[in-house]
Amino acid sequence: METRQQAGIGIMLALTTAIFWGALPIAMKQVLQVMDPFTVVWYRFSMASLGLGGLLAVKGKLPSLRLFGKPRWLALIAIATAGLLGNFIFFSSSLQYLSPTASQVIGQLSPVGMMIASVFILKERMRITQVIGAAMLVCGLIMFFNSSLIEIFTRLTDYTLGVLLGVCAASVWVCYGVAQKVLLRRLASQQILVVLYTLCAVALFPLAHPGMIMQLSGWQLACLLFCGANTLIGYGALAEAMARWQAAQVSALVTLTPLFTLLFSNLLALAWPLFFAVPALNVVGYLGAIVVVSGAMFSAIGHRWWPGRTEKSLVASLKQTDE
């Protein structure tokens, strides 16, 4: 009964992450009408650092400074910081040219990149279901951007730039993901995050313009505060979900993020058409978003639907290749 209860809590926490991350780009796009990406990201990291740092201080679980005395761990922290910082900046910048849904759909490249990096860097085993899921995701991306493929591959327009920035955001996130995976051997996830949030906020301060907050309307200020809370709650709920439920299932639920963005975008456009725009997608585009999510989900938990055979078939195919 206790295990089932923990799984139920894990499901709710994972859904919380997906919902918060789904709403994030919609709120950020409102703030980016006034603020530049560097300032928005600096505020996000600063609020998350203060919030999580205060929480860990009350619990007496702040990370030990001894970790910063060892070159290997310092290098890993530097890589994770650069990866997370780059992801936030590229993602925010892409929102200046793309819709929130498009930016989130492109973001699903992150788990595929993490899968490939884990095989080559961390020497983890790749399952055939992960390969199938990655192929589904790429096909879904082609479907999602079907009406813009010629523009993306033939002209450097603002839309193309947004797509490139989104791909960069997904790529540098892999650096953060791999480094964090190694750091988890020494620190709890929340301890890693408070270090990274603090370092990112310090690194961004020279490029930020904090005074721009005075130019925000009341609605935009509320959106900025939501973005800061989103960073803290989204990643915090994800860490707690991982602690209570299996990582594969948590990852599968988090892949629903683009669908929540699509849902929220449509609902907000219906309720407040003057502030929010309906996503410019045709039927194939909507189907592509579903295929992208399905591919990412299949990569995460496909081996549970197709156990045993998947690993054997992949090993056999690798042997044939070697021969």
Side-chain angles (χ1 to χ4, degrees):
M1 180 66 71
E2 185 177 350
T3 303
R4 186 176 299 177
Q5 184 179 5
Q6 288 296 313
I9 296 173
I11 292 172
M12 295 304 297
L13 289 167
L15 282 174
T16 298
T17 297
I19 291 170
F20 268 74
W21 285 358
L24 174 64
I26 300 174
M28 284 186 64
K29 201 163 181 69
Q30 299 296 309
V31 182
L32 286 167
Q33 295 175 6
V34 176
M35 272 189 181
D36 62 274
F38 294 105
T39 305
V40 175
V41 173
W42 178 78
Y43 269 111
R44 287 184 64 192
F45 278 130
S46 298
M47 286 187 277
S49 174
L50 292 172
L52 185 56
L55 183 63
L56 291 180
V58 171
K59 293 182 177 180
K61 293 184 178 180
L62 285 172
S64 173
L65 294 178
R66 294 179 181 177
L67 187 71
F68 296 91
K70 298 182 179 180
R72 182 194 176 198
W73 298 108
L74 268 178
L76 285 170
I77 290 173
I79 293 171
T81 301
L84 189 62
L85 182 58
N87 172 262
F88 274 49
I89 291 174
F90 282 129
F91 181 79
S92 300
S93 300
S94 72
L95 280 171
Q96 294 182 306
Y97 310 104
L98 297 178
S99 69
T101 302
S103 63
Q104 287 288 28
V105 167
I106 296 173
Q108 295 307 301
L109 288 170
S110 296
V112 174
M114 183 66 182
M115 174 189 72
I116 296 172
S118 295
V119 171
F120 287 99
I121 299 175
L122 302 179
K123 307 302 179 184
E124 294 183 357
R125 182 169 48 188
M126 181 183 290
R127 300 182 177 93
I128 196 171
T129 50
Q130 293 175 312
V131 177
I132 294 171
M136 290 173 61
L137 190 147
V138 172
C139 291
L141 283 172
I142 294 173
M143 293 171 64
F144 182 84
F145 292 104
N146 71 91
S147 61
S148 307
L149 287 176
I150 295 177
E151 177 182 349
I152 291 172
F153 287 105
T154 61
R155 300 192 299 274
L156 185 57
T157 61
D158 286 348
Y159 193 82
T160 305
L161 179 59
V163 172
L164 291 174
L165 288 169
V167 172
C168 288
S171 301
V172 297
W173 186 91
V174 175
C175 300
Y176 155 74
V178 172
Q180 188 202 41
K181 209 164 187 178
V182 180
L183 286 169
L184 281 169
R185 299 171 186 172
R186 294 293 301 271
L187 291 172
S189 59
Q190 291 185 342
Q191 291 177 315
I192 296 172
L193 287 174
V194 74
V195 171
L196 299 185
Y197 290 160
T198 303
L199 291 176
C200 287
V202 171
L204 264 182
F205 182 72
L207 301 175
H209 302 89
M212 293 184 73
I213 196 171
M214 303 303 295
Q215 301 176 24
L216 298 180
S217 66
W219 164 246
Q220 291 169 332
L221 179 59
C223 287
L224 178 63
L225 293 175
F226 174 77
C227 290
N230 194 299
T231 307
L232 183 60
I233 296 171
Y235 277 93
L238 180 64
E240 291 299 319
M242 291 285 192
R244 289 172 168 79
W245 204 27
Q246 295 181 8
Q249 275 86 340
V250 172
S251 299
L253 278 183
V254 173
T255 60
L256 295 173
T257 296
L259 297 186
F260 280 115
T261 304
L262 190 56
L263 173 64
F264 296 151
S265 295
N266 279 286
L267 291 177
L268 289 169
L270 286 173
W272 295 284
L274 294 178
F275 295 96
F276 301 96
V278 177
L281 290 177
N282 53 26
V283 175
V284 177
Y286 277 98
L287 290 175
I290 296 173
V291 173
V292 166
V293 171
S294 300
M297 188 177 293
F298 193 73
S299 289
I301 60 174
H303 62 284
R304 298 186 178 277
W305 302 332
W306 198 6
R309 188 185 304 173
T310 56
E311 294 180 10
K312 292 179 182 177
S313 61
L314 183 58
V315 171
S317 64
L318 290 174
K319 286 183 178 179
Q320 289 177 359
T321 304
D322 292 339
E323 292 172 358

